[in-house]
Amino acid sequence: MAYKELWRRLLYLARRARFHSELSEEMQAHIECRADELEQGGMPRAAAMARARREFGSAARAAEDTRDAWRIRWIEDLASDLRYAGRALRRNPGFALTAIACLALGIGVNTTIFSITTSFLFSVPSCRDASSLVAIFLGGNSARPMTDYKFIRNTHVFQGMAGMNPEREVNWRNGDQSTRLYAGLVTDGYFSVLGVPFQLGRGIAPGEKDTAVLSHRMWRGRFGSDPSILGRTIVLDGRAHTVVGVLPGDNKTIVGLGFSPDIYVPAVREDDDVQLYARLPDGTSSAAARAQLQSVLQELDRIDPKDGWKRSANVRITGVTGMDLLAQQGMDPVLAFFGMLIIVVGLVLLIACTNVASLLLARAASRSQELAIRLSLGAGRMRIVRHLLAESLLLAALGAIAGLLIDVACGRLVSSLQLPLPVPIQLVVRLDWRLLLYTVVVAILSALIAGLMPALKAVRKDVNAGLKSGHRMTERRWGLRSLLVAGQLAASIVLLTTGFLFIHNLLRALSMNPGFDTQHAVWAYMRLVPEKYKDQGRQMALVTEALDRLRALPGVEAAAITRRVPLNDNCVIGADVSTDLSSTKMPLTYQCINVGPDYFRAIGIPLLRGRDFSARDRKGSERVAIVNETFARTVFGKRNPIGHTITDFISTRRVVGLVKDSKYFTLGERQQLAMYEPYFAQEEPVNLNFIVRGYGAPAAYVKPVTDALGRLDSSAAIETKPIIQSMGLALLPSQAGAAVLGAMGMLGLVLAAIGLYGVLLYSVARRTREIGLRIALGATPAEVLRVVCRQTFALVGAGTAVGLVLALLATRPLAMFLVPGLSTYDPGAFAAVIGVLGGVALLATLGPALRALRVDPMTALRYE
Amino acid sequence: MLILRTLAAGPLHGYAVARRIKQCSAQVLEVEEGSLYPALNRMLIKGWLKADWGTSETNRKARFYHLTDEGRKQLATEAGKFNRLVDAIQLVMKTV
């Protein structure tokens, strides 16, 4: 009912002009009807018309009353307020542009960070009805072999089962070279059970062994978005696969976190490990499904026991979206990082808002006379507040639009960014309704924050004082504006300190000694096609041959093979360890790395005692190990560890060497224990990592090394790079932190500087007469400057003092992101912040100060 | 209410409404012609009336108003209220 009424009124609003002409036509018809009647009674036409008009009364008033009846007061008022505000802004473009730019930057960085955060943390996988999908963990394990998958699938506890291993690699034979791709190994029901939408074609169908699905990135990047790609044969790991589908560009995998393999291939081997996903049947809760699954698994444990380890022991079923994904282990630092980002950009927005508020305050003050006149003519205070708010609302709307444009640009940038990570992460940043909602809320809030204070202040003023013609020095020294600017400076100090802290952190991380030589080695990664190396010993022969050829290259000092390249891969073992000196078991956590002979020379880790591994240390010979200093100290104390034995739960090894400590997974890690074992002591992996050390610059060795390895096996994928380039993962947190927080700090500083500049300029403008008087009475330029600078110093001093205290407190929790040895109490950073802020403050003072000096006493005093 | 009652018989244009009210009330009630249109428009807003252009009996273009279902309902409730009021007044007049 009320809606219909509103609707009719809105229709009226849209067709106002026509409505009014119709109304006057109607009233004219009324009068003429009456005149007709009178004329029939014998009255002459002219007299009849006059009488009819008289009887009707005032047509204008009737029309006015009718209009009033139709009107929606507030909409028309709002429209007129907005029109007025728009005119006012156009008349004052400097003010409008500054305010809009401030808001756009504030809103732009907010929405950008928000959209990155949502796409990274809260992405909903591209699946049909993701809320009924669950991830299953058996016995605490994230991945299980295909046999387990098939068993559970055949029990029909769930409506559908799917399995996926997102961390596989395949070699793609591309012309005459092989390229390693990140592959997702999927079960045949994966795409249909999950209901993944496709750009082209379809998913992998049940029973298919040689089909493949391309990611959009791969399709675009490697096949030039070829529309006839379906049916094309590509060679993966030496076998021909037919492309049956292409995923759309906005596909988000069920793994989340922006994880996206290049290509999907079917899991064909029984021992392929996959993470299990399932769709809950309608109306079944995950608790009920878990109970059913548990009994199924007990059955499986009975049929196929795995010595001691029980699948049914630690069964977890979790959702695949939102908080369930975030509740996984190891997510805390990531969450903390994004939380910090949100706070930081919130601060930037706050600074932007205060900027706009102080700009509006200045405007309101310079318009106080106009407002006073309006008030004394009887304008309602609320009406004026509303009018001023409309102005800030208009600013916020324009700012939000500009901010969204900034955000779209940044989003494009982020989406095209390839992070230097050893996993395929691709963030899909798209404009979505959540972002729009967020922007609108942010814009309205900022309009209220920025507009309410000046508006209220403007109408609280005494009408009489405002009406007097002078802008006299009636304002207190510490007005609202000064407080705002001081607050802004304080907030930007917090931002800057954080930024500097992270920049310092990055510098420290870059110069940090990882314990091995990053300057002279190249890392050649060679992935073999597994099927070609099934026979025992074939691989060892290849590795031996490869090392011989690498060592024969001119300028090569050493070449070695290793299972893991430091700062790129992590293998932590937890075991109870005893020695030949003491049988008490020590629970230890240590890095375990299998390396070949000459590894320590090639990578530049000094061998302190004992011997290196030799070609004789292999399967079947005595088990030997080399330990690092921290391991030796922890296990053997001050004794020489060489010759002693270490026993973990299965085997005993004799320590033959001691090497210097180095970094293993991240630069910021605490010193870890490490044990090296001979490369061929265990099974033979298909991923080979060669470390080649040359006498010259490593870049020169990249091509010869690649060629030498390529000649050994043309089906192998080879990637060679100087080892310094492989430190992306280790440096990413510090780089990202430094880049983002440094940028935010600078942005905050610029915004605060604009605020300071504005407030000083405004105060100089208001004090023109006072300064003129001073000059007329003989003040020297130095004294005039002192007047202006005193205000700067007061503002900057107060802001800095408050900001430093806040910064000290606020940066405390950031310690978790910093490399060891760098404390959040970083005097260097604080000193730098104060220096920068002081410099900027001086710059901001320069303009107003010059203007004060140029004040002509005659002009200034003329009004007195 | 008077306008609604007048229109209950069938669609009329503005002048006819005024004339009808005057006639029916035996010239006692005279709707001020100027205030007729704001009143009609208020009822248009409420949705009690609808208006269409047509030709009057004297061949003039005029807007004809007719009652909507909602308008009929409104007339019924208002007439009921009015009758109760009149009854009450009569009761008082008789007893005193």
Side-chain angles (χ1 to χ4, degrees), chain A residues 504-514 667 731:
Chain A
H504 194 169
N505 184 48
L506 175 64
L507 294 178
R508 185 72 73 91
L510 281 176
S511 66
M512 205 154 173
N513 181 10
L667 282 171
L731 287 177

Side-chain angles (χ1 to χ4, degrees), chain A residues 101-156:
Chain A
C102 287
L103 276 178
L105 285 175
I107 291 177
V109 296
N110 261 278
T111 45
T112 302
I113 295 298
F114 180 81
S115 48
I116 292 175
T117 308
T118 49
S119 77
F120 193 72
L121 297 182
F122 300 105
S123 79
V124 176
S126 311
C127 298
R128 172 171 32 83
D129 187 18
S131 60
S132 69
L133 286 172
V134 290
I136 301 172
F137 302 88
L138 310 183
N141 280 24
S142 58
R144 294 300 305 146
M146 287 292 284
T147 43
D148 283 10
Y149 159 77
K150 284 180 181 158
F151 185 87
I152 301 172
R153 186 188 59 187
N154 294 341
T155 60
H156 298 289

Side-chain angles (χ1 to χ4, degrees), chain A residues 741-771:
Chain A
L741 294 167
M744 291 302 136
M746 291 317 291
L747 190 59
L749 182 70
V750 168
L751 288 176
I754 293 175
L756 185 65
Y757 174 79
V759 85
L760 287 176
L761 196 61
Y762 171 71
S763 102
V764 167
R766 275 177 72 95
R767 293 166 74 180
T768 304
R769 230 159 295 148
E770 180 208 332
I771 293 170

Side-chain angles (χ1 to χ4, degrees), chain A residues 529-603:
Chain A
V529 174
E531 278 68 24
K532 287 177 79 173
Y533 292 87
K534 276 188 190 140
D535 303 335
Q536 275 287 325
R538 269 205 71 173
Q539 253 202 71
M540 190 145 74
L542 177 91
V543 169
T544 315
E545 174 72 24
L547 287 174
D548 284 347
R549 291 198 187 184
L550 290 176
R551 284 175 188 139
L553 289 174
V556 167
E557 188 187 341
I561 186 148
T562 175
R563 280 285 285 284
R564 292 173 213 296
V565 176
L567 302 184
N568 279 274
D569 203 351
N570 202 14
C571 175
V572 180
I573 288 187
D576 291 333
V577 172
S578 57
T579 67
D580 56 345
L581 298 170
S582 128
S583 58
T584 40
K585 287 186 186 292
M586 271 187 280
L588 292 184
T589 309
Y590 57 91
Q591 289 276 334
C592 180
I593 308 147
N594 292 68
V595 300
D598 244 8
Y599 169 76
F600 299 107
R601 197 148 69 89
I603 202 145

Side-chain angles (χ1 to χ4, degrees), chain A residues 1 4-5 8-9 19 22-23 25-27 29-37 40 45 52 55-58 61-63 65-66 69-71, chain B residues 13-16 18-19 22-23 30 32-38 40-48 53 56 58 60-65 70:
Chain A
M1 166 76 188
K4 277 195 208 155
E5 200 179 309
R8 277 190 285 269
R9 283 174 193 264
F19 185 90
E22 281 185 2
L23 183 68
E25 201 179 326
E26 193 184 357
M27 290 191 295
H30 181 117
I31 291 167
E32 283 177 18
C33 278
R34 176 67 183 146
D36 288 349
E37 215 176 68
Q40 273 169 13
R45 178 72 193 171
E55 280 182 5
F56 189 81
S58 162
R61 198 173 137 220
D65 286 349
T66 314
W70 278 103
R71 224 162 176 189
Chain B
H13 54 87
Y15 176 65
R19 200 177 48 188
K22 214 149 108 184
Q23 278 171 2
E30 196 164 333
E32 195 194 318
E33 293 177 34
S35 63
L36 175 67
Y37 287 92
L40 280 172
N41 276 286
R42 268 191 283 276
M43 288 185 228
L44 280 177
I45 296 168
K46 294 271 183 215
W48 298 341
W53 286 97
S56 73
T58 50
R60 284 188 191 282
K61 205 172 150 223
R63 210 136 91 116
F64 282 82
Y65 294 89
E70 252 174 87

Side-chain angles (χ1 to χ4, degrees), chain A residues 459-538:
Chain A
V459 296
R460 255 207 318 269
K461 280 222 176 103
D462 182 18
V463 174
N464 285 324
L467 275 177
K468 287 184 199 146
S469 69
H471 300 256
R472 280 163 205 268
M473 265 280 295
T474 47
E475 199 157 340
R476 282 161 295 150
R477 267 194 66 192
W478 285 96
L480 190 51
R481 279 166 56 78
S482 305
L483 277 182
L484 282 180
V485 169
Q488 250 176 356
L489 289 171
S492 68
I493 287 222
V494 175
L495 285 184
L496 268 183
T497 322
T498 324
F500 267 108
L501 203 58
F502 271 79
I503 290 171
H504 194 169
N505 184 48
L506 175 64
L507 294 178
R508 185 72 73 91
L510 281 176
S511 66
M512 205 154 173
N513 181 10
F516 58 88
D517 185 355
T518 56
Q519 303 302 323
H520 294 96
V522 292
W523 166 27
Y525 174 82
M526 183 174 188
R527 183 181 177 277
L528 305 173
V529 174
E531 278 68 24
K532 287 177 79 173
Y533 292 87
K534 276 188 190 140
D535 303 335
Q536 275 287 325
R538 269 205 71 173

